[in-house]
Amino acid sequence: MSGTQSANVARFLQQRVAEQPDALALMAPRGRDASGRILYERITFAQLHQQSDQVAHGFVEAGIRPGMRTLLMVRPGSDLIRCCFALFKVGAVPVVIDPGMGLKNFLSCVRRTRPEALVGIPMSQVVSRVFRSAFKTVRTRINVGKGFARWYGNQPTEGFPIARASEDDLAAILFTSGSTGPPKGVCYEHGQFDAQVRLIRDTFGIEPGEVDLPMLPIFALFNPALGMTTVVPEINPSKPAKVQPEKIVQAIEQCGVTNSFGSPVLWKIIAQHAHGKGTTLPGMRRILMAGAPVPPALVDVLQPVFPNARLWSPYGATECLPVSCIDGETIKSASAEKTVKGAGTCVGKAVSGVRFKIIGIQADPIPSMDACDVLPIGEIGEIIATGPSVTKSYDGMPAATARAKILDAEGVVWHRMGDAGYLDEFGLLWFCGRIAERVMTPDGPLYTDCCEGVFNPLPGVNRTALIGLGDSPDQVPAIVIEPDPGQHIDKEQVLQVAASNPVTDSIKNVFICQAFPVDVRHNAKIHRLDLAKRYNKG
């Protein structure tokens, strides 16, 4: 932090009010009119600033104080954004846990985080009392129900003084999805949020006045800093694959959406619907896809629907985002042919200020960079990264922090991504799969994205998953195929393709699964370890 300026991320909302007070900050659906058009609650940046001021006053009166960990359990929409910015203004620490991770994991996260306050919908209040032991540290409860609007009425109010914060002060705790291990609370500092805003804006060329439809709710919180209008999508975040694509298309058309973020699974559903209706959406400038690798075939499907949009796939993790990115044209030109041959998935070059290294894979903590075995170009190892948005620790999990972070000689923190990959001669990063999901055979490891890329283009295949049968290091590899709806998969053809490629020629087992277990957040990350348990039992 330079001079006397506070690093509190709530200041971005103040800046928007100074620069574009009457521009729309938020459009939240509240039904439909007689003609079927979506009716929206419309809130300007000036109104959002005033309303979050009023909520902040109410929070303080209810007992929320600077530094207080506050579990935020509010549905995506205007109340979530009001509450989050109000907490930032107070200087409290929002704790955001994905309820879709399952009750057991959710309660474990609550216990470990030890929140002192709960701001949530009525059902969350019920849960906190039914499972009292997990919420025993909660002393303040604020119900975000039908009566919550009284907290931010239209009456004038004095402004709320935003709490001062330095760059390294704790701003929020956001939880990982737990797709390959227990969910972990990532400690975000104000300076890291600030860096993320700059990286997202500069990497993708986002300009004030754009209109965003974020299909991952947490991304809506960046928009006031970026000067974008947030259109809240009609989507159940706990069941994203159940999206009704016609509602997304209608919102894009009606609101003039220029930017949107969602998983590849969501974009595939939306594109298929638009193709079926003959719909094109020329107003879209930019589509961001993350949560799983973007196959070249999806780029081909999306581009005719969004003829003026640039397609992007950022790579990163809850602990550090973004790390790299690749655009649709590069996916097709530099990646497609290599991916189908078993090279893995290209995730592009590092964004500004981020550096990569590939190190030898090991399970133990690495105390310093001197203890790393840095690998040469083209050799697969673990991806590590450092940069301004890389977080430093997990909340209340020192052992997990020690396993995931490495300090170099200058005291800079490097994050171990937990992903296998390599750098090519052009400086492009290639993703080969999660290290925890690699299959350890007597002849060496097989990596999920390298093998699956060989099978994914086959006719009738929606997606595939490499699994191991038996115990490491003597596992037998197998490929599990999720077919497109109504499609039959010829196992003999699959085995012929496997035998024709040196990356996959050891795969002699093929299974068909009609619906893969996947993560709730993106509905795209395949739970390969769960699949392996299923077929090992069989």
Side-chain angles (χ1 to χ4, degrees):
M1 183 173 63
S2 60
T4 59
Q5 183 182 4
S6 172
N8 191 319
V9 292
R11 77 186 191 281
F12 287 121
L13 189 51
Q14 280 185 324
Q15 292 172 2
R16 293 280 73 80
V17 172
E19 297 170 7
Q20 48 187 129
D22 298 323
L24 282 178
L26 186 66
M27 298 175 67
R30 56 179 180 84
R32 278 172 166 68
D33 64 17
S35 67
R37 284 178 62 82
I38 307 170
L39 297 173
Y40 284 100
E41 174 188 17
R42 296 169 180 264
I43 302 172
T44 66
F45 283 109
Q47 289 170 329
L48 179 60
H49 184 42
Q50 179 183 356
Q51 291 171 5
S52 59
D53 273 355
Q54 291 171 298
V55 174
H57 279 297
F59 282 174
V60 170
E61 290 174 9
I64 293 181
R65 299 287 181 263
M68 184 176 284
R69 293 173 176 225
T70 303
L71 182 58
L72 191 56
M73 296 180 67
V74 180
R75 290 191 180 95
S78 55
D79 280 341
L80 175 64
I81 295 174
R82 290 186 192 100
C83 289
C84 200
F85 273 93
L87 290 172
F88 287 145
K89 288 179 176 182
V90 171
V93 178
V95 177
V96 182
I97 306 174
D98 190 339
M101 66 175 56
L103 182 61
K104 182 179 178 181
N105 276 334
F106 175 78
L107 294 176
S108 175
C109 293
V110 174
R111 288 189 188 94
R112 193 164 63 246
T113 308
R114 300 177 62 82
E116 298 173 76
L118 167 62
V119 174
I121 60 174
M123 181 54 69
S124 72
Q125 308 294 338
V126 173
V127 170
S128 74
R129 298 188 187 280
V130 172
F131 299 96
R132 194 178 301 272
S133 64
F135 291 81
K136 64 183 179 181
T137 55
V138 172
R139 298 289 178 264
T140 301
R141 286 177 168 82
I142 296 173
N143 190 10
V144 184
K146 290 183 179 179
F148 188 69
R150 65 180 172 81
W151 291 54
Y152 53 88
N154 293 323
Q155 74 276 15
T157 184
E158 59 181 287
F160 187 90
I162 296 176
R164 291 189 57 77
S166 64
E167 291 182 351
D168 57 0
D169 281 342
L170 184 62
I173 299 173
L174 310 180
F175 273 80
T176 64
S177 63
S179 57
T180 55
K184 298 181 285 291
V186 180
C187 294
Y188 261 89
E189 299 170 356
H190 285 275
Q192 288 152 357
F193 273 135
D194 188 274
Q196 278 189 319
V197 169
R198 287 185 283 104
L199 287 174
I200 292 170
R201 180 192 63 211
D202 297 345
T203 300
F204 304 113
I206 294 172
E207 299 175 347
E210 290 200 48
V211 181
D212 181 45
L213 188 136
M215 290 186 285
L216 185 65
I218 195 70
F219 273 76
L221 300 177
F222 290 107
N223 287 342
L226 295 166
M228 286 201 291
T229 300
T230 297
V231 177
V232 178
E234 295 179 295
I235 187 172
N236 182 346
S238 67
K239 297 179 180 178
K242 301 294 184 182
V243 63
Q244 295 177 274
E246 65 275 9
K247 291 184 176 181
I248 302 300
V249 170
Q250 182 182 4
I252 291 171
E253 290 182 310
Q254 186 175 322
C255 301
V257 171
T258 62
N259 183 85
S260 187
F261 176 95
S263 75
V265 170
L266 289 177
W267 284 114
K268 182 177 180 179
I269 294 170
I270 293 164
Q272 288 174 337
H273 167 79
H275 274 288
K277 297 292 185 180
T279 302
T280 58
L281 299 163
M284 187 76 81
R285 299 184 197 175
R286 188 184 307 101
I287 288 175
L288 307 179
M289 294 174 280
V294 176
L298 181 56
V299 176
D300 289 332
V301 171
L302 281 169
Q303 205 67 76
V305 177
F306 302 96
N308 298 320
R310 191 168 184 184
L311 310 181
W312 291 96
S313 178
Y315 167 71
T318 306
E319 298 91 337
C320 47
L321 184 74
V323 170
S324 72
C325 68
I326 186 170
D327 68 358
E329 285 303 312
T330 307
I331 289 174
K332 291 175 60 178
S333 62
S335 173
E337 186 177 343
K338 294 180 179 179
T339 295
V340 77
K341 292 180 179 178
T345 301
C346 184
V347 292
K349 290 193 174 184
V351 300
S352 177
V354 171
R355 289 177 287 155
F356 297 135
K357 290 183 187 293
I358 308 297
I359 63 173
I361 295 174
Q362 59 173 292
D364 296 332
I366 301 175
S368 69
M369 289 295 291
D370 292 338
C372 290
D373 178 19
V374 178
L375 302 181
I377 286 173
E379 189 167 336
I380 297 175
E382 181 175 11
I383 303 166
I384 64 172
T386 191
S389 67
V390 171
T391 57
K392 300 173 184 174
S393 65
Y394 296 116
D395 179 57
M397 301 181 73
T401 299
R403 284 194 299 271
K405 308 296 178 181
I406 308 170
L407 281 178
D408 66 16
E410 286 74 40
V412 174
V413 176
W414 290 72
H415 179 67
R416 299 173 67 178
M417 299 295 292
D419 294 335
Y422 61 93
L423 287 165
D424 70 13
E425 65 271 27
F426 304 108
L428 293 169
L429 180 65
W430 290 77
F431 172 78
C432 298
R434 296 290 290 166
I435 289 172
E437 294 176 334
R438 74 194 191 278
V439 175
M440 301 299 293
T441 77
D443 297 321
L446 294 181
Y447 297 96
T448 56
D449 262 57
C450 297
C451 294
E452 292 162 12
V454 175
F455 301 105
N456 285 335
L458 292 176
V461 170
N462 182 29
R463 51 190 170 184
T464 62
L466 176 74
I467 64 170
L469 306 177
D471 298 323
S472 173
D474 297 313
Q475 290 180 301
V476 175
I479 197 74
V480 187
I481 296 178
E482 181 186 80
D484 285 322
Q487 295 297 308
H488 171 74
I489 302 298
D490 184 343
K491 290 187 178 182
E492 287 302 319
Q493 181 187 14
V494 174
L495 290 172
Q496 288 173 10
V497 169
S500 68
N501 190 308
V503 175
T504 57
D505 60 7
S506 62
I507 297 174
K508 311 294 183 184
N509 297 276
V510 179
F511 301 108
I512 308 298
C513 177
Q514 296 301 321
F516 281 174
V518 293
D519 71 296
V520 171
R521 183 176 296 177
H522 296 289
N523 212 260
K525 294 180 180 177
I526 302 165
H527 288 170
R528 295 175 180 84
L529 301 180
D530 289 345
L531 274 177
K533 290 178 184 177
R534 182 185 306 179
Y535 289 102
N536 270 290
K537 287 180 181 178

